[in-house]
Amino acid sequence: MTTREDGRAVDELRPITITRHWLDHAQGSCLVEFGRTKVLCAASATEGVPRWRKGSGLGWVTAEYAMLPQATHDRSQRESVKGRIGGRTHEISRLVGRSLRAAVDYKALGENTITIDCDVLQADGGTRTAAITGAYVALADAVAHLREKGALAGEPLVQSIAAVSVGIIDGTPMLDLPYVEDVRAETDMNVVMTGEGSFIEIQGTAEGAPFVRSELDALLALAEKGCADLTRLQQEALQA
Amino acid sequence: MTTREDGRAVDELRPITITRHWLDHAQGSCLVEFGRTKVLCAASATEGVPRWRKGSGLGWVTAEYAMLPQATHDRSQRESVKGRIGGRTHEISRLVGRSLRAAVDYKALGENTITIDCDVLQADGGTRTAAITGAYVALADAVAHLREKGALAGEPLVQSIAAVSVGIIDGTPMLDLPYVEDVRAETDMNVVMTGEGSFIEIQGTAEGAPFVRSELDALLALAEKGCADLTRLQQEALQA
Amino acid sequence: MTTREDGRAVDELRPITITRHWLDHAQGSCLVEFGRTKVLCAASATEGVPRWRKGSGLGWVTAEYAMLPQATHDRSQRESVKGRIGGRTHEISRLVGRSLRAAVDYKALGENTITIDCDVLQADGGTRTAAITGAYVALADAVAHLREKGALAGEPLVQSIAAVSVGIIDGTPMLDLPYVEDVRAETDMNVVMTGEGSFIEIQGTAEGAPFVRSELDALLALAEKGCADLTRLQQEALQA
Amino acid sequence: MTTREDGRAVDELRPITITRHWLDHAQGSCLVEFGRTKVLCAASATEGVPRWRKGSGLGWVTAEYAMLPQATHDRSQRESVKGRIGGRTHEISRLVGRSLRAAVDYKALGENTITIDCDVLQADGGTRTAAITGAYVALADAVAHLREKGALAGEPLVQSIAAVSVGIIDGTPMLDLPYVEDVRAETDMNVVMTGEGSFIEIQGTAEGAPFVRSELDALLALAEKGCADLTRLQQEALQA
Amino acid sequence: MTTREDGRAVDELRPITITRHWLDHAQGSCLVEFGRTKVLCAASATEGVPRWRKGSGLGWVTAEYAMLPQATHDRSQRESVKGRIGGRTHEISRLVGRSLRAAVDYKALGENTITIDCDVLQADGGTRTAAITGAYVALADAVAHLREKGALAGEPLVQSIAAVSVGIIDGTPMLDLPYVEDVRAETDMNVVMTGEGSFIEIQGTAEGAPFVRSELDALLALAEKGCADLTRLQQEALQA
Amino acid sequence: MTTREDGRAVDELRPITITRHWLDHAQGSCLVEFGRTKVLCAASATEGVPRWRKGSGLGWVTAEYAMLPQATHDRSQRESVKGRIGGRTHEISRLVGRSLRAAVDYKALGENTITIDCDVLQADGGTRTAAITGAYVALADAVAHLREKGALAGEPLVQSIAAVSVGIIDGTPMLDLPYVEDVRAETDMNVVMTGEGSFIEIQGTAEGAPFVRSELDALLALAEKGCADLTRLQQEALQA
């Protein structure tokens, strides 16, 4: 079996930690760690929905992803200083929001808005998948908060959501890539799945050579395994 | 067999037109039409590369995607007026650039930059896949222009690139969705492939219910068929 | 008689083409061509007026002008990417709007807004005058659309509008300058006129030496001739 | 003869004051007043030219026009706060720069740049024409400063520049419109002329009804008279 | 006693001039001069308050500070051109607003907003303290204007406000620093006080070596003396 | 003695925690906590200095302060999304930078730049003083890193820097205010001091009534006590 720099098996996640209630103000929050990647996820619930949704009886869930300037090896410039959000940030924010919305029954949420912020404190590969995985836990806590307040009619969480990266390095498909593997990957794929094993989002990119169907199949199998593991860790964290 | 509003078979492309040399100034250009979707693709070749690449001997390819305000059913506000590029535009520009770069051997291109602009004049679904498909044709013409000028050492085009959308509507996987189908799709996927049938990019999203593995397989088969058809049409256009 | 590079007489327009209904969604649209200059004009009519005009019973007409990055010989940077609209774009958008508003009886238009977009697909001199000339045709079609819907009380179009450039090259006044003439012009003037031969806007600039009154008179005479020709071509296009 | 609200004849300027050396740091400066319109004009000369002009041996002149927020009857928002310069500001800055550049022989200026700022402290109509008229005086002082320093080879000022507004109110052509007349004008024209009576720029706009050739002729005659008067006042100020 | 370049005693203000009613449109205005520093202060009163304060019965006072590009020795770029307000401008605008608000009883002001603009026409040190001192005079005139219109219930001005800079140069504490002293100061302090001698704001910064308590005491004593002098000059101006 | 909501004496700091090496990439970092206020401070050292300082042989230190959107009780909008940095952020970033620069001998630092980011993860009053106090620790670690690499000639840290807030609540001067006290404070002061007890910066503001000299003296005494305590805690952290 291929050995990885950190000694993991090709289908093994990095050490995953989910620390709930990391913040005092947000209705739900956690610090999620995929190895050295650390993402602070915070979910705030507010009454009301955006204007275009008012009076519909339906809720709304939105997300923003960002990175602290010193999260990366070399300090990056703040987007607030540049005066504009970069394409990568936009893209990931949209992905996180879309993924979390798949977990939610808007009718049961009622006209409440949940905003989820995923701020990368330290980046070592897989920040978007860690963000989605942690965001689900923060969302679950924010929903629980609304439930306790009696602000909900039914159960807005219809399924859990987790995400993981997979990639092909030197011809070998591998699960949950840290930065050193990510930069070498020929193909890189992020997969978002439900706790029951269906797909929410697949984003696969050939970084080097194009990939063929059999490689795609191998990557999907690894992702299924990884998301199942993450789902279990989310459940444990939420029951703690 | 399911009938579609426009009478097509589920695995049939809309009428595709690729009109080369639509512009006089750009080194390569075409107007590509997927049904009523019209995208003007223009490729300009300039000597030199961005600063971070200087002296490497390698070329560069970049792309920008945008939509005219009256391309859509309801007029949309110009991004130049808003003062910022939206997330969707950023995301698609990055996708087009990434896809086209997969076609190119930077070493053979030498220190030249090709910039490809894909401006949607009319939108009726599938604008990003039409853009990629047309952009490849414009790129090929711009490369030919460089070759005629004697600015190239070898052959920078290592493979052709085409893209198509697929989706599940009322449980049926279908190829090349116009707007009326796109808004109803439960799952929506954009697939970028090489002329030889390998994958460059897969982006699949569950818009409604999550999708399962067998559905994913059906969508991939349709995409393979559609990209093969588009590859043939590109070749015909380039040989005309 | 002075011969021009393209063989035209000094008081002769370039070949003019006005192709109506170029777009499917806009209520009025045309592709207008002044020689190699191509401008896509689209007019959309929406109910209601801007806030400051509400309840007045009066309509509103506004315009935006822009250029695709590869419309020019050397690719220009997108204003959406720069994050700000340049002075030239602002200036021309204001000119087009002002000119078109001269055609309209706001009372007869009622509380409807017509937005006209003029996007230059290819630039070869005279883009602003082509834009105004084409915009009038698109406006006329959008007004006709409102009339068919029964959304109008009277006739909002009180006169037709056309525009042309004139200039002095090597001491000779000439009509409708393409780019090669425009860059050499000592004086450059854009004239907007009604179909009945009155003036809406005159913008004359000494690019080289100042100009004297007799030169101004000669330019105005050429502009009157050119606008009369364009008015006839607009009428033919609208009756087609 | 028509009487105007302020008792002036139709071909009479408002009281004009040009106070030179209003600032201590700028190489040339004046406060120019056209009645209650007050514009602070400052010209600074710096060695060197913009990058695109380096090594040409030619100088450069540029201008910026702006308005203080409380210059107008109702306070207007600062453009620095809005984060973008409005179309009107852009347009006038370009007009002032273009007009002043007509006064200058770039070769005699050598590789020096003169930047002229025209800041409207109080607005009562005719701010752009006051700005141009005052800017010429500030420019002349900045050029004199360069001459004293021995930084010039020849005489960069080839002609003087002045500007005035004219308009038609209730059918009567009038010179130098204050705000109360300007808002009522059917036609509004700004004319920039050389001290010798040639034209640099004409910008005429039909605000209400279109204007005919005989009206245009009457306006031009008034502008010629007004610019001649302003030229004399500039000369007196510069000789004081 | 230390002699200063301009011959002043260490506890002596520069010549101070306050010229009221400098503008015709603003409800209150003055040109305030601290030596060669010239700041145009304008206060406009409008009915109504910002949204977050509506229905409270309370008024609002806000301020904006800015500098003309040629106010300084070397021309600085306009913030409107840069597209963003710099940190220094933001900071001083906030300081001026905060200081002026200390003068006001919001209840007596009623739901009126007073906006104060302080535009530096020429800068020679102490622009922020001149701005605050002049802004109070403009504010007093705008309040008087509201009183005359009968728009006030009681007396909104509860105390007068003045400000002065102090600093340590070559070990000697000095009052009201012009630019040449300011750049050499080891410690620089701006002090805002009421007419009755209490403190509104103290901002002291060690530019070179840290400062000790006894130095701080000496600076505060100078500031008390300077603000008392300025208060007297404000009263004289307002009674003129 | 006045009792405070959290039981502290008026001259007592909240529990202070300084956790060094919180991040893996930054050359120096710590999580500093003042009660529930948590600020992540990261210092990165890079070779070279900004352009205006090149060739001087001197180093540079700069700082940026920002707040995560969910740091506060109610979620605040991201400044990157707004597209501009707010006045408060600008002001505090400048304060932190200025304060830290007082600790540094630029000559001994050599042409190296240290950038310090202070990101507030949770806000409960005193975020800017916690930021400065933690930033010094991160700076010290980054300097140690440069020393180990042999990139320094001498000792760039000439003194340590700490900061604390003080205020008057119900007439009683108090040290280190949490949010609940801060909003009620009549006077609010932030004091930055060296480890040896000299002043770097004093910023005092009357939020309600103006404050008198004796109150100022009492606040300064509290600040001296608080900064001395913080200096001791910094030393303990750096020796751990």
Side-chain angles (χ1 to χ4, degrees):
Chain A
M1 198 166 205
T2 305
T3 33
R4 303 167 79 172
E5 209 168 294
D6 56 10
R8 277 186 292 149
V10 293
D11 67 347
E12 192 182 346
L13 293 172
R14 288 177 283 178
I16 308 292
T17 318
I18 300 174
T19 310
R20 278 165 74 204
H21 309 310
W22 210 82
L23 294 172
D24 296 324
H25 307 320
Q27 276 80 48
S29 71
C30 70
L31 182 71
V32 61
E33 295 166 86
F34 276 35
R36 302 206 305 175
T37 288
K38 298 182 187 198
V39 185
L40 180 54
C41 301
S44 68
T46 50
E47 279 181 50
V49 284
R51 198 177 319 170
W52 49 272
R53 218 173 168 86
K54 267 186 192 150
S56 66
L58 304 175
W60 185 239
V61 171
T62 183
E64 291 183 6
Y65 165 99
M67 228 184 230
L68 291 194
Q70 305 221 9
T72 45
H73 274 86
D74 294 313
R75 184 181 184 275
S76 55
Q77 207 191 346
R78 285 176 195 273
E79 295 185 324
S80 60
V81 169
K82 286 195 247 182
R84 51 177 75 186
I85 289 179
R88 182 182 176 279
T89 300
H90 253 144
E91 204 171 304
I92 301 181
S93 290
R94 286 157 55 91
L95 169 64
V96 178
R98 221 158 49 219
S99 298
L100 272 288
R101 282 193 286 274
V104 174
D105 175 349
Y106 289 136
K107 202 156 185 182
L109 182 54
E111 290 205 7
N112 294 292
T113 295
I114 297 180
T115 304
I116 303 170
D117 289 284
C118 299
D119 285 273
V120 179
L121 305 187
Q122 186 159 284
D124 186 31
T127 61
R128 78 188 71 187
T129 51
I132 292 168
T133 304
Y136 174 74
V137 173
L139 171 65
D141 274 330
V143 165
H145 171 90
L146 287 175
R147 197 182 294 115
E148 277 160 36
K149 275 178 47 187
L152 297 175
E155 173 53 65
L157 288 181
V158 296
Q159 54 207 350
S160 76
I161 303 291
V164 81
S165 73
V166 289
I168 303 176
I169 292 112
D170 297 335
T172 306
M174 294 186 181
L175 177 66
D176 187 21
L177 314 184
Y179 181 74
V180 290
E181 290 178 354
D182 191 44
V183 293
R184 290 176 48 220
E186 293 113 47
T187 292
D188 184 22
M189 188 174 297
N190 292 291
V191 180
V192 185
M193 299 186 74
T194 68
E196 285 151 16
S198 297
F199 294 94
I200 294 298
E201 182 109 11
I202 295 175
Q203 294 196 337
T205 302
E207 304 284 352
F211 54 97
V212 295
R213 187 59 193 275
S214 59
E215 291 171 318
L216 175 55
D217 289 345
L219 290 172
L220 290 170
L222 280 178
E224 287 172 342
K225 199 264 182 190
C227 284
D229 290 350
L230 288 167
T231 297
R232 196 172 24 77
L233 292 165
Q234 287 174 321
Q235 286 168 343
E236 287 172 16
L238 284 166
Q239 282 153 14
Chain B
M1 198 167 205
T2 306
T3 33
R4 302 167 80 172
E5 209 168 297
D6 55 10
R8 277 188 290 150
V10 293
D11 66 348
E12 191 181 349
L13 294 172
R14 288 178 283 178
I16 307 292
T17 316
I18 301 175
T19 310
R20 278 165 75 204
H21 309 310
W22 210 83
L23 294 172
D24 295 325
H25 307 319
Q27 277 78 48
S29 70
C30 71
L31 181 71
V32 61
E33 295 168 86
F34 276 34
R36 305 206 304 176
T37 289
K38 298 183 188 198
V39 184
L40 180 54
C41 301
S44 68
T46 50
E47 278 181 50
V49 284
R51 197 177 319 170
W52 50 272
R53 217 172 168 87
K54 270 185 189 147
S56 65
L58 303 175
W60 185 239
V61 172
T62 184
E64 291 183 7
Y65 165 100
M67 229 185 229
L68 292 195
Q70 305 221 8
T72 43
H73 274 87
D74 295 314
R75 183 181 185 275
S76 55
Q77 207 191 346
R78 284 177 196 272
E79 294 185 325
S80 60
V81 169
K82 286 195 247 182
R84 52 177 76 186
I85 290 178
R88 182 183 176 279
T89 299
H90 254 144
E91 204 170 303
I92 300 180
S93 291
R94 286 156 57 90
L95 169 64
V96 178
R98 222 158 47 220
S99 298
L100 273 288
R101 283 192 285 274
V104 174
D105 175 348
Y106 289 136
K107 203 156 183 181
L109 182 55
E111 289 205 10
N112 294 292
T113 296
I114 297 179
T115 304
I116 303 170
D117 288 284
C118 299
D119 285 273
V120 179
L121 305 186
Q122 186 160 283
D124 186 32
T127 62
R128 78 187 71 187
T129 52
I132 292 167
T133 303
Y136 173 74
V137 174
L139 171 65
D141 274 329
V143 165
H145 171 90
L146 287 175
R147 198 182 294 117
E148 278 160 35
K149 275 178 46 186
L152 297 175
E155 173 51 67
L157 288 182
V158 296
Q159 54 206 349
S160 75
I161 302 292
V164 80
S165 73
V166 288
I168 303 176
I169 292 113
D170 297 336
T172 306
M174 294 187 181
L175 177 67
D176 186 21
L177 314 185
Y179 181 73
V180 290
E181 290 178 356
D182 191 44
V183 292
R184 289 176 48 219
E186 292 114 48
T187 292
D188 183 22
M189 187 173 299
N190 292 292
V191 180
V192 186
M193 299 185 75
T194 68
E196 285 151 16
S198 298
F199 295 94
I200 294 298
E201 183 108 13
I202 294 175
Q203 293 195 338
T205 303
E207 302 286 350
F211 55 97
V212 295
R213 187 60 192 274
S214 58
E215 291 171 317
L216 175 54
D217 289 345
L219 291 172
L220 290 170
L222 280 178
E224 287 172 340
K225 200 264 182 190
C227 285
D229 290 349
L230 288 167
T231 297
R232 196 171 24 77
L233 292 165
Q234 288 174 321
Q235 287 168 341
E236 287 172 14
L238 283 167
Q239 283 152 12
Chain C
M1 196 166 209
T2 307
T3 33
R4 304 167 79 170
E5 209 169 294
D6 55 10
R8 277 188 290 149
V10 293
D11 66 347
E12 192 181 348
L13 293 172
R14 289 178 282 178
I16 308 293
T17 317
I18 301 175
T19 310
R20 278 165 74 205
H21 309 310
W22 211 84
L23 296 173
D24 296 323
H25 307 320
Q27 277 79 47
S29 70
C30 71
L31 182 71
V32 60
E33 294 167 86
F34 278 33
R36 303 206 305 175
T37 288
K38 299 184 187 197
V39 185
L40 180 54
C41 301
S44 67
T46 50
E47 278 181 51
V49 284
R51 199 177 316 171
W52 50 272
R53 216 173 169 87
K54 268 185 191 149
S56 66
L58 304 175
W60 185 237
V61 171
T62 184
E64 291 183 6
Y65 165 99
M67 226 183 232
L68 291 195
Q70 305 221 10
T72 45
H73 273 87
D74 294 314
R75 184 180 184 275
S76 55
Q77 206 192 347
R78 285 177 196 272
E79 295 185 322
S80 60
V81 169
K82 286 195 246 183
R84 51 178 75 187
I85 289 178
R88 182 183 175 278
T89 300
H90 253 144
E91 205 170 304
I92 301 180
S93 291
R94 286 157 57 90
L95 169 65
V96 178
R98 222 157 50 220
S99 299
L100 273 288
R101 284 192 284 275
V104 174
D105 175 349
Y106 288 137
K107 202 155 182 181
L109 182 54
E111 290 205 7
N112 294 293
T113 295
I114 297 179
T115 304
I116 303 170
D117 289 284
C118 299
D119 286 273
V120 179
L121 305 186
Q122 186 159 284
D124 186 32
T127 61
R128 79 187 71 186
T129 52
I132 292 168
T133 303
Y136 174 75
V137 173
L139 172 64
D141 274 330
V143 165
H145 171 89
L146 287 174
R147 197 182 294 116
E148 278 159 37
K149 275 179 46 187
L152 297 176
E155 173 52 67
L157 287 181
V158 296
Q159 55 206 351
S160 76
I161 302 291
V164 81
S165 73
V166 287
I168 302 176
I169 292 113
D170 296 335
T172 306
M174 294 187 181
L175 178 67
D176 187 21
L177 316 184
Y179 180 73
V180 288
E181 290 178 355
D182 191 44
V183 292
R184 290 177 48 219
E186 293 113 47
T187 293
D188 182 22
M189 189 175 297
N190 292 292
V191 180
V192 185
M193 298 186 75
T194 68
E196 285 151 17
S198 298
F199 295 94
I200 294 298
E201 183 108 12
I202 295 175
Q203 294 195 337
T205 302
E207 302 285 351
F211 54 97
V212 294
R213 187 59 192 273
S214 58
E215 291 172 318
L216 175 55
D217 289 345
L219 290 172
L220 290 170
L222 280 178
E224 286 173 342
K225 199 264 181 188
C227 284
D229 289 350
L230 289 167
T231 297
R232 195 170 26 77
L233 292 164
Q234 287 174 321
Q235 287 169 344
E236 287 172 15
L238 283 167
Q239 282 153 15
Chain D
M1 196 165 209
T2 306
T3 34
R4 302 168 80 171
E5 209 169 294
D6 56 10
R8 277 188 290 149
V10 293
D11 66 348
E12 193 182 347
L13 294 171
R14 289 178 283 178
I16 308 292
T17 316
I18 301 175
T19 309
R20 278 165 73 205
H21 309 310
W22 211 83
L23 295 173
D24 296 324
H25 306 319
Q27 277 78 48
S29 69
C30 71
L31 182 71
V32 60
E33 296 168 84
F34 277 34
R36 304 206 304 175
T37 289
K38 299 182 188 198
V39 184
L40 180 53
C41 301
S44 67
T46 50
E47 278 181 51
V49 285
R51 198 177 317 172
W52 50 272
R53 217 172 168 87
K54 268 185 190 150
S56 65
L58 304 175
W60 185 240
V61 172
T62 183
E64 291 183 7
Y65 165 99
M67 229 184 228
L68 291 194
Q70 305 220 7
T72 44
H73 274 88
D74 295 314
R75 183 180 185 276
S76 55
Q77 206 191 347
R78 286 177 194 271
E79 294 185 324
S80 60
V81 169
K82 285 194 248 183
R84 51 176 77 185
I85 290 179
R88 183 184 175 277
T89 299
H90 253 144
E91 203 171 304
I92 302 180
S93 290
R94 285 157 57 91
L95 170 64
V96 178
R98 220 156 51 217
S99 299
L100 272 288
R101 283 193 285 272
V104 174
D105 175 349
Y106 289 135
K107 202 157 185 180
L109 182 54
E111 290 206 7
N112 294 292
T113 296
I114 298 180
T115 304
I116 303 171
D117 289 283
C118 300
D119 285 273
V120 179
L121 305 186
Q122 186 159 284
D124 187 31
T127 61
R128 80 188 70 186
T129 52
I132 292 168
T133 303
Y136 174 74
V137 173
L139 172 65
D141 274 330
V143 165
H145 171 89
L146 287 175
R147 198 183 293 117
E148 278 160 35
K149 276 178 45 187
L152 297 176
E155 173 52 67
L157 287 181
V158 296
Q159 54 205 351
S160 76
I161 302 292
V164 80
S165 72
V166 287
I168 302 176
I169 292 112
D170 297 336
T172 306
M174 294 185 180
L175 178 67
D176 187 21
L177 316 185
Y179 181 73
V180 289
E181 290 178 356
D182 191 46
V183 293
R184 291 176 47 220
E186 293 113 48
T187 292
D188 183 22
M189 187 175 297
N190 292 292
V191 180
V192 185
M193 298 185 76
T194 67
E196 287 151 16
S198 297
F199 295 94
I200 294 298
E201 182 109 11
I202 294 176
Q203 293 195 337
T205 303
E207 302 285 352
F211 55 97
V212 295
R213 187 58 192 273
S214 58
E215 291 172 318
L216 175 54
D217 289 345
L219 290 172
L220 290 170
L222 280 178
E224 286 172 342
K225 200 265 180 191
C227 284
D229 289 350
L230 289 167
T231 297
R232 196 172 25 75
L233 292 164
Q234 287 174 322
Q235 287 169 343
E236 287 171 16
L238 285 167
Q239 282 154 13
Chain E
M1 197 166 207
T2 306
T3 36
R4 303 166 80 171
E5 209 168 294
D6 56 9
R8 278 188 289 148
V10 294
D11 67 347
E12 194 182 346
L13 293 171
R14 288 178 283 178
I16 307 292
T17 317
I18 301 174
T19 310
R20 279 165 72 204
H21 308 310
W22 210 83
L23 295 173
D24 295 325
H25 307 319
Q27 278 79 48
S29 70
C30 70
L31 182 72
V32 61
E33 295 167 85
F34 276 34
R36 304 206 304 174
T37 289
K38 299 184 188 197
V39 185
L40 180 54
C41 301
S44 68
T46 50
E47 278 181 52
V49 284
R51 197 176 320 171
W52 50 273
R53 216 172 168 87
K54 269 187 189 148
S56 66
L58 304 175
W60 185 239
V61 171
T62 184
E64 291 182 8
Y65 165 100
M67 229 183 229
L68 291 195
Q70 305 222 7
T72 44
H73 274 87
D74 295 313
R75 183 179 186 276
S76 55
Q77 206 193 346
R78 286 177 194 271
E79 295 184 323
S80 59
V81 169
K82 285 194 247 182
R84 51 177 75 186
I85 289 178
R88 183 184 175 277
T89 299
H90 254 144
E91 203 170 305
I92 301 181
S93 290
R94 285 158 56 91
L95 170 65
V96 178
R98 221 156 52 217
S99 298
L100 272 289
R101 284 193 283 274
V104 174
D105 175 349
Y106 289 135
K107 202 157 184 179
L109 181 55
E111 290 205 8
N112 294 292
T113 295
I114 297 180
T115 304
I116 303 170
D117 289 284
C118 299
D119 285 275
V120 179
L121 305 187
Q122 186 159 283
D124 186 31
T127 62
R128 79 188 71 186
T129 53
I132 292 168
T133 303
Y136 174 74
V137 174
L139 171 65
D141 274 330
V143 164
H145 171 89
L146 287 175
R147 198 183 293 115
E148 278 161 35
K149 276 179 45 187
L152 298 175
E155 173 52 66
L157 288 181
V158 296
Q159 56 206 350
S160 75
I161 302 292
V164 80
S165 73
V166 289
I168 303 176
I169 291 114
D170 297 335
T172 307
M174 294 186 181
L175 178 66
D176 187 20
L177 315 184
Y179 181 73
V180 290
E181 290 178 355
D182 191 44
V183 293
R184 291 176 47 218
E186 293 113 48
T187 293
D188 184 22
M189 187 174 299
N190 293 291
V191 180
V192 185
M193 298 187 74
T194 68
E196 285 152 16
S198 297
F199 295 94
I200 294 297
E201 183 108 11
I202 294 175
Q203 293 195 336
T205 303
E207 303 284 351
F211 55 97
V212 295
R213 187 60 191 274
S214 59
E215 291 172 318
L216 175 55
D217 289 346
L219 290 172
L220 290 170
L222 279 178
E224 286 172 342
K225 199 266 180 189
C227 284
D229 289 350
L230 288 167
T231 297
R232 195 171 26 75
L233 292 164
Q234 288 173 321
Q235 287 169 344
E236 287 172 15
L238 284 167
Q239 282 152 15
Chain F
M1 198 165 208
T2 307
T3 34
R4 302 167 80 171
E5 209 168 294
D6 56 9
R8 278 186 291 148
V10 293
D11 66 348
E12 193 181 347
L13 294 171
R14 288 177 283 178
I16 308 293
T17 316
I18 300 174
T19 311
R20 278 165 74 204
H21 309 310
W22 211 82
L23 294 173
D24 296 323
H25 307 320
Q27 277 79 48
S29 70
C30 71
L31 182 72
V32 61
E33 295 167 85
F34 277 34
R36 304 206 304 176
T37 289
K38 299 183 187 198
V39 185
L40 179 54
C41 301
S44 67
T46 50
E47 277 181 51
V49 284
R51 199 176 318 171
W52 51 271
R53 216 174 170 87
K54 270 187 188 147
S56 66
L58 304 175
W60 185 239
V61 172
T62 184
E64 291 183 7
Y65 166 99
M67 228 184 230
L68 292 194
Q70 304 221 9
T72 44
H73 274 87
D74 295 313
R75 185 181 183 277
S76 55
Q77 206 192 347
R78 285 177 196 270
E79 294 184 324
S80 59
V81 169
K82 286 195 246 183
R84 50 176 77 187
I85 290 178
R88 182 182 176 278
T89 299
H90 253 144
E91 203 171 304
I92 301 180
S93 290
R94 285 157 56 91
L95 170 64
V96 178
R98 221 158 50 221
S99 298
L100 272 289
R101 282 192 286 272
V104 174
D105 176 348
Y106 288 136
K107 203 156 182 181
L109 181 55
E111 291 205 8
N112 293 292
T113 295
I114 298 179
T115 303
I116 303 170
D117 290 283
C118 299
D119 285 273
V120 179
L121 305 186
Q122 186 159 283
D124 187 32
T127 61
R128 80 187 70 186
T129 53
I132 292 168
T133 303
Y136 174 75
V137 173
L139 171 65
D141 275 328
V143 165
H145 171 89
L146 287 174
R147 197 182 294 116
E148 278 160 36
K149 275 179 46 187
L152 297 175
E155 173 52 66
L157 287 181
V158 296
Q159 54 207 351
S160 75
I161 302 292
V164 80
S165 74
V166 288
I168 303 176
I169 291 113
D170 298 335
T172 306
M174 295 185 180
L175 178 66
D176 187 21
L177 315 185
Y179 181 73
V180 290
E181 290 178 356
D182 191 45
V183 293
R184 290 176 48 220
E186 294 114 46
T187 292
D188 183 22
M189 188 174 297
N190 292 292
V191 180
V192 185
M193 299 186 75
T194 68
E196 284 151 17
S198 298
F199 295 94
I200 294 298
E201 183 108 12
I202 295 176
Q203 294 195 337
T205 302
E207 302 284 352
F211 55 97
V212 295
R213 185 61 191 273
S214 59
E215 290 172 318
L216 176 54
D217 290 345
L219 290 172
L220 290 169
L222 279 178
E224 287 171 342
K225 200 263 180 190
C227 284
D229 289 350
L230 288 167
T231 297
R232 196 170 26 76
L233 292 164
Q234 287 174 321
Q235 288 169 342
E236 288 172 14
L238 284 167
Q239 282 152 13

